């Protein structure tokens, strides 16, 4: 069973999210730390995903997850290192995430991957947090050094930057990315940008709009890793209302170099994949304003969609326009459709009919990339 559970009291939900509150129930406000299920392909005994893991990464079941966070530091004795509100700076550092039971060896963890199921989540815990400093200060060099140490012993030499959605704590983001880094064969340096958000349903109305203030920080982080680290490629992932933050950050980066074409931007930023999962982005805005810039920066733009994503159905109702992760193509003009169809770097992945779980603890159908082992 998960090691830590914080139960948050129920409260009156704002009228605009009353439907969401009723469907979610108070039990959904529990903050649970556990590993996401292992990808189903890892349960095939014929495949060995550990053969390329460096010897120094086989020592224990603890994974390092690098982070950048504008969250305010928590007072001493608090259950987490950082709070739900914003602080005065973007702090850089590394969280050490223990995957599985305390004392497990690397071999124990790998063996548990073979038997992983969503019904029996394995525990995960942030056991230590080390701060390097601030973005824009001495902390940048320490972050780059940490990325380079991992990249040098990696067969792929890649770095991943993740922008989460709302309603997650700092520790939840770290444990999620710790498991994800493990499933990647510990071959990529993983950096999570944990922006400030609370854990109530109605925080959607305040936290997601406020998070736009951190778009320049995300752009700065991407540029920092691309321009100063030894990573051969960058993979960028935005989830839910973290997706528009990533998209806008990439638009800002594109605007910095108006005279450069795709080849020049690839040499500068080395962005392999820009991935948008269950993206809470206005469909028309993405098509007309985001996609042209993002596809000039990235080799491939991946968009995951699901008709069964009820969270994005509610978001569409609130915004009076469909979201990228649950699109209504009839909202687009013929010219918009031609823009999408002619973009050779754009890949759409429809997961609506994929068997298995599509949610863990949130609104129906919104968390498939975390919950579904396929």
């Amino acid at each position: 069973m998960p090691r830590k559970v914080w139960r948050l009291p129920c409260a009156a939900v704002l009228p605009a999210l009353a439907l969401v509150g009723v469907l979610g129930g108070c039990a959904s406000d529990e903050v649970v730390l556990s590993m996401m299920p292992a990808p189903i392909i890892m349960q095939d005994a014929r495949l060995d995903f550990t053969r390329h893991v460096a010897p120094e990464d086989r020592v224990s079941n603890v994974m390092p997850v690098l982070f950048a966070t504008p969250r305010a530091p928590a007072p001493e004795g608090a259950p987490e290192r950082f709070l739900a509100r914003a602080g005065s700076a973007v702090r850089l550092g590394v969280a050490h995430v223990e995957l599985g039971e305390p004392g497990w060896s690397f071999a124990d963890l790998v063996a548990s991957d073979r038997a992983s199921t969503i019904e029996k989540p394995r525990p995960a815990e942030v056991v230590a947090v080390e701060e390097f400093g601030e973005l824009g200060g001495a902390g940048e060099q320490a972050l780059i050094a940490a990325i380079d140490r991992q990249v040098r012993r990696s067969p792929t030499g890649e770095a991943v930057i993740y922008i989460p959605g709302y309603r997650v704590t700092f520790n939840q983001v770290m444990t999620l990315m710790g498991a994800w880094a493990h499933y990647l064969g510990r071959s990529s340096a993983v950096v999570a940008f944990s922006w400030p958000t609370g854990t109530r349903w109605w925080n959607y109305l305040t936290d997601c709009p406020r998070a736009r203030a951190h778009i320049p920080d995300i752009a700065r982080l991407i540029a920092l890793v691309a321009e100063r680290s030894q990573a051969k490629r960058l993979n960028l992932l935005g989830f839910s209302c973290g997706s528009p933050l990533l998209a806008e950050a990439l638009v800002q980066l594109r605007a910095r170099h108006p005279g450069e074409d795709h080849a020049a931007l690839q040499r500068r930023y080395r962005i392999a994949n820009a991935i948008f999962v269950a993206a809470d982005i206005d469909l028309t805005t993405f098509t007309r304003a985001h996609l042209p810039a993002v596809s000039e920066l990235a080799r491939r733009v991946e968009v995951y969609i699901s008709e069964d994503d009820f969270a994005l159905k509610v978001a569409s109702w609130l915004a009076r326009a469909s979201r990228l992760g649950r699109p209504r193509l009839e909202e687009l003009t013929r010219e918009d459709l031609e823009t999408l169809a002619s973009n050779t770097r754009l890949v759409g992945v429809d997961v609506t009919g994929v068997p298995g779980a599509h949610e863990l603890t949130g609104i129906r159908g919104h968390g498939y990339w975390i919950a579904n082992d396929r």
Side-chain angles (χ1 to χ4, degrees):
M1 293 296 291
R3 189 173 295 110
K4 290 186 178 180
V5 177
W6 290 282
R7 297 183 182 276
L8 303 176
C10 287
V13 182
L14 293 174
L17 285 184
L19 176 61
V20 180
V22 169
L23 290 173
C26 297
S28 297
D29 284 333
E30 294 181 357
V31 179
V32 179
L33 297 184
S34 60
M35 291 182 64
M36 60 193 294
I40 197 168
I41 195 171
M42 299 186 76
Q43 299 179 23
D44 191 327
R46 298 170 297 175
L47 303 175
D48 179 12
F49 289 92
T50 68
R51 65 187 185 278
H52 295 305
V53 177
E56 53 265 51
D57 289 331
R58 296 170 177 259
V59 175
S60 72
N61 64 333
V62 177
M63 276 296 304
V65 178
L66 300 167
F67 67 82
T69 184
R71 292 175 181 261
E76 188 174 351
E80 298 210 13
R81 182 70 167 262
F82 296 99
L83 301 174
R85 61 178 175 82
S88 59
V90 177
R91 290 171 168 80
L92 307 175
V94 58
H96 298 277
V97 180
E98 183 179 66
L99 302 174
E101 298 292 343
W104 270 7
S105 65
F106 174 76
D108 293 331
L109 179 59
V110 171
S112 77
D113 292 335
R114 300 287 191 189
S116 169
T117 65
I118 190 173
E119 291 79 15
K120 295 182 179 180
R122 292 167 292 169
E125 183 177 5
V126 176
V127 293
V129 176
E130 176 188 354
E131 289 192 46
F132 298 152
E134 297 179 0
L135 187 65
E140 291 187 351
Q141 185 53 45
L143 178 73
I144 296 303
I147 292 173
D148 288 347
R149 281 195 297 273
Q150 190 157 350
V151 164
R152 281 194 294 267
R153 61 179 186 256
S154 162
T156 63
E158 296 183 337
V160 175
I161 298 178
Y162 172 59
I163 317 298
Y166 93 112
R167 203 170 162 261
V168 285
T169 69
F170 174 84
N171 282 8
Q172 279 184 302
V173 175
M174 296 303 113
T175 54
L176 173 65
M177 285 294 98
W180 211 51
H182 169 65
Y183 298 148
L184 287 173
R186 308 192 176 207
S187 63
S188 298
V190 174
V191 186
F193 187 91
S194 181
W195 52 275
T197 175
T199 55
R200 267 64 167 211
W201 292 103
W202 52 90
N203 292 137
Y204 177 83
L205 293 176
T206 56
D207 292 354
C208 293
R210 287 173 185 163
R212 294 186 57 82
H214 303 298
I215 290 171
D217 298 324
I218 296 171
R220 186 170 188 169
L221 176 65
I222 295 170
L224 173 68
V225 177
E227 295 174 348
R228 291 176 53 184
S229 81
Q230 297 175 11
K232 298 176 182 177
R233 289 177 295 276
L234 272 64
N235 296 300
L236 312 177
L237 174 63
F239 172 61
S240 191
C241 65
S243 290
L245 307 181
L246 173 59
E248 291 285 356
L250 292 175
V251 169
Q252 289 188 6
L253 290 179
R254 176 66 184 101
R256 293 180 186 179
H257 312 285
E260 296 187 3
D261 60 9
H262 174 71
L265 291 168
Q266 273 290 298
R267 289 191 295 270
R268 180 181 295 277
Y269 291 118
R270 304 187 302 285
I271 298 173
N273 299 289
I275 306 171
F276 300 90
V277 182
D280 190 1
I281 304 177
D282 179 86
L283 174 64
T284 303
T285 300
F286 180 81
T287 303
R288 299 175 185 175
H290 296 155
L291 182 60
V294 175
S295 57
E296 287 181 339
L297 285 164
R299 291 185 189 175
R300 184 166 63 178
V301 183
E302 298 183 22
V303 175
Y304 284 73
I305 65 174
S306 175
E307 176 68 22
D308 295 332
D309 192 327
F310 189 75
L312 292 186
K313 183 176 183 179
V314 174
S316 298
W317 174 73
L318 290 171
R320 300 183 181 276
S322 73
R323 320 317 287 161
L324 177 63
R326 191 178 183 273
R328 291 288 174 267
L329 296 182
E330 58 268 21
E331 297 177 3
L332 301 177
T333 65
R334 181 180 181 84
E335 183 179 358
D336 292 333
L337 293 172
E338 289 175 349
T339 297
L340 295 176
S342 62
N343 192 310
T344 57
R345 299 189 184 103
L346 176 63
V347 177
V349 183
D350 188 348
V351 303
T352 303
V354 175
H358 281 235
E359 187 52 64
L360 288 177
T361 59
I363 303 178
R364 173 171 58 83
H366 192 56
Y368 45 81
W369 85 275
I370 299 171
N372 195 296
D373 56 5
R374 294 177 185 269

